[in-house]
Amino acid sequence: MIESDRPREIVLGVSGGIAAYKSCEVLRRLREAGHHVQVVATRSALEFIGAATFEALSGRPVMTGVFENVHDVEHVALGRRAELVLLVPATADLLARMTQGRADDLLTSTLLTARCPVLAVPAMHTEMWEHPATVDNVATLRRRGTVVLEPASGRLTGADTGPGRLPEPPEIAEFARLLLEWGASTSAGGTEPFPLPRDLEGRRVVVSAGGTAEPLDPVRTLGNRSSGRQGYALARVAAQRGADVTLVAGTIADLDPPAAVDLRRVQTTREMRDAVLDASKAADVVVMAAAVSDFRPTALSAGKIKKGEEPPSIPLEFNPDILRELVTEDVPRRLVVGFAAETGDEHGSVLDYGRAKLERKGCDLLVVNAVGAGKAFEMEDNEGWLLGADGSSMSLPMGSKAALAARVWDAVAERLP
Ligand code: CTP
């Protein structure tokens, strides 16, 4: 078991916005992961969601005011006990009260006493998110160490759309886990860098994810296995570190679009090539996490290929190598990161094959995963090595795909001019 997966004491702060209903789903996920969750709701949050819902899901009474359980001095005890404070949603009003250091209810008092990571997940109308007051408050809170997520864009309460939408609950749970993993490694006496610094602000990043699929006929495809989870985690983490992210996704598992990311869907390798090269024109970094299909049928059958007496032979031809094109393209130099899924054999280890691939592909960094039964593919967690063209090599310990992504971005940020 990974240390971060041991049960933790989490305060889930809920403030009064329509997105409060999604906090129930976040709560359910945290409980399913085995954590103890204390819901601290503002009075206005309880106008949106009844306390009974939170109580049934958390197995604990909901707390709101500083005058409940006074003998336990809850406004201090809660903050001291918490290993993570998660604010879902964080309304403009809550962000403003946090910035001022107010202690006018149990949630803000708890925030003043907590010394653990605080993850604020804003949700509000675009005008409120973009108002200079909110922009300043978010900048102040980030400077003080609070992780304030970028909201998603999309449908808001009414028919209006724009940035301000709460990221989807699985994404919030992924970032909560990332902060718990980080907390675990620092409390173990390590000197881990913080996983979500705003060090990619002003950078343009392209990430490819998932597999590509080449149609053989109207119903069949030739493709690569990939859930897309690692590429999605790379895109999510980069966006929350401030980058302007384009995610080019091929065939993937059932994943929600990451918040604050420009998502482009493709199917074939040639479509992926065009989308990646186009988005990469102005990019500082390109990460090819996709499992790209190396071959395609020479011809697409217009009708369904019939079973017949014998299995058909399907002639194949090579697809373009996107990574090779990226490193040989005649454009201003950008940092290119490749991925390699390898198995070792009697001729060499996974790392030997990874090092050879790094040289062959000519990229700056290569993430090497050992694959095989129960490893990497379709798994929640991942591990491997990060090899540099400069001869460097770093182990990527077993952890969430977001944690692996954070380490990759650390290495990228170090190498950016
Ligand atoms: N890649 C690519 N275009 C291809 C094939 C692979 O851009 N046509 C990228 C992948 O996204 C990955 C890296 O190259 O970042 C390595 O992928 P892999 O499939 O391991 O490389 P191959 O060159 O196909 O090597 P192998 O002979 O081991 O299959």
Side-chain angles (χ1 to χ4, degrees), residues 288 290 292-294 320-323 338-342 357 360-361:
M288 283 297 301
V292 182
S293 180
D294 288 319
D321 186 325
I322 308 170
L323 195 62
F339 266 70
E342 301 289 342
K357 186 164 284 180
R360 196 166 71 241
K361 294 276 189 170

Side-chain angles (χ1 to χ4, degrees), residues 74-374:
E74 287 292 3
H75 69 285
V76 178
L78 273 178
R80 284 198 183 141
R81 260 200 318 267
E83 293 172 88
L84 174 71
V85 179
L86 192 55
L87 304 170
V88 187
T91 57
D93 178 66
L94 179 63
L95 295 174
R97 290 193 293 134
M98 287 167 75
T99 308
Q100 290 182 354
R102 305 273 299 242
D104 44 8
D105 61 10
L106 187 60
L107 183 53
T108 45
S109 306
T110 301
L111 282 160
L112 284 181
T113 51
R115 293 293 175 269
C116 59
V118 176
L119 175 61
V121 192
M124 63 196 73
H125 272 84
T126 306
E127 292 85 346
M128 296 174 96
W129 175 248
E130 290 176 347
H131 192 283
T134 308
V135 171
D136 279 356
N137 291 340
V138 168
T140 304
L141 290 170
R142 282 181 176 155
R143 201 182 63 245
R144 291 182 193 153
T146 300
V147 180
V148 184
L149 290 191
E150 293 294 332
S153 276
R155 189 82 187 267
L156 300 167
T157 322
D160 42 351
T161 60
R165 206 180 131 90
L166 194 85
E168 293 307 317
E171 177 162 18
I172 298 172
E174 195 173 329
F175 281 118
R177 185 174 173 211
L178 176 64
L179 290 184
L180 290 173
E181 283 178 283
W182 170 73
S185 42
T186 45
S187 60
T191 51
E192 285 290 302
F194 182 65
L196 295 171
R198 302 283 303 179
D199 57 352
L200 297 176
E201 256 164 24
R203 302 291 189 174
R204 280 168 183 272
V205 164
V206 180
V207 179
S208 70
T212 58
E214 304 292 339
L216 305 177
D217 67 16
V219 296
R220 298 185 179 88
T221 59
L222 172 72
N224 276 20
R225 266 175 75 186
S226 172
S227 67
R229 286 202 175 88
Q230 186 60 67
Y232 270 56
L234 281 153
R236 286 185 211 293
V237 171
Q240 299 302 344
R241 285 170 76 143
D244 177 347
V245 183
T246 302
L247 173 62
V248 180
T251 51
I252 51 160
D254 182 19
L255 304 176
D256 292 313
V261 163
D262 175 15
L263 174 63
R264 303 193 190 162
R265 295 300 308 268
V266 296
Q267 194 196 1
T268 66
T269 297
R270 283 177 296 175
E271 286 166 14
M272 180 170 278
R273 172 193 173 276
D274 293 348
V276 167
L277 293 189
D278 178 55
S280 301
K281 280 192 193 111
D284 300 289
V285 189
V286 187
V287 183
M288 283 297 301
V292 182
S293 180
D294 288 319
F295 320 101
R296 63 171 180 269
T298 49
L300 170 65
S301 167
K304 185 181 171 193
I305 301 168
K306 298 285 184 284
K307 214 170 180 179
E309 294 290 301
E310 294 286 319
S313 291
I314 298 170
L316 301 176
E317 60 190 343
F318 278 119
N319 263 328
D321 186 325
I322 308 170
L323 195 62
R324 279 298 301 160
E325 284 193 43
L326 284 166
V327 297
T328 51
E329 232 191 348
D330 191 17
V331 289
R333 190 78 181 109
R334 63 216 152 186
L335 211 105
V336 179
V337 185
F339 266 70
E342 301 289 342
T343 50
D345 59 20
E346 65 278 15
H347 304 295
S349 66
V350 169
L351 266 185
D352 296 333
Y353 285 113
R355 178 65 60 196
K357 186 164 284 180
L358 174 67
E359 272 157 35
R360 196 166 71 241
K361 294 276 189 170
C363 48
D364 301 282
L365 289 166
L366 187 76
V367 179
V368 184
N369 294 129
V371 287

Side-chain angles (χ1 to χ4, degrees), residues 25-35 37 57:
E25 172 68 16
V26 174
L27 169 55
R28 199 180 58 78
R29 284 176 177 267
L30 297 172
R31 294 286 295 140
E32 276 173 3
H35 301 300
V37 187
L57 289 169

